[in-house]
Amino acid sequence: MPVTINKDTCIGCGACCGVCPVGALSMDGDKSTCDESTCIDCGACVATCPVEAITQ
Ligand code: SF4
Ligand code: SF4
């Protein structure tokens, strides 16, 4: 299962986009978005998000 990003919690810091090993994360305006077909569910972004907006 790909990760879920809580758009209400995301502060748009971009940190998650930099740690994804497969480039599944990108910024959509001021919020992060996940390409669900690319995500390999590694969990790196979950651990990186400072506001716990990403869940596995
Ligand atoms: S769980 Fe891993 S592969 Fe999926 S979006 Fe996060 S960092 Fe990328
Ligand atoms: S690390 Fe968290 S707060 Fe920062 S852009 Fe990603 S989901 Fe949003």
Side-chain angles (χ1 to χ4, degrees):
M1 286 286 291
V3 293
T4 300
I5 298 170
N6 185 330
K7 304 261 182 185
D8 292 328
T9 307
C10 174
I11 58 172
C13 70
C16 54
C17 303
V19 299
C20 181
V22 293
L25 295 167
S26 59
M27 297 305 293
D28 178 16
D30 61 352
K31 304 290 179 178
S32 174
T33 187
C34 179
D35 180 350
E36 299 187 352
S37 63
T38 304
C39 175
I40 57 171
D41 205 21
C42 72
C45 59
V46 176
T48 300
C49 181
V51 294
E52 299 181 3
I54 310 174
T55 49
Q56 252 176 320

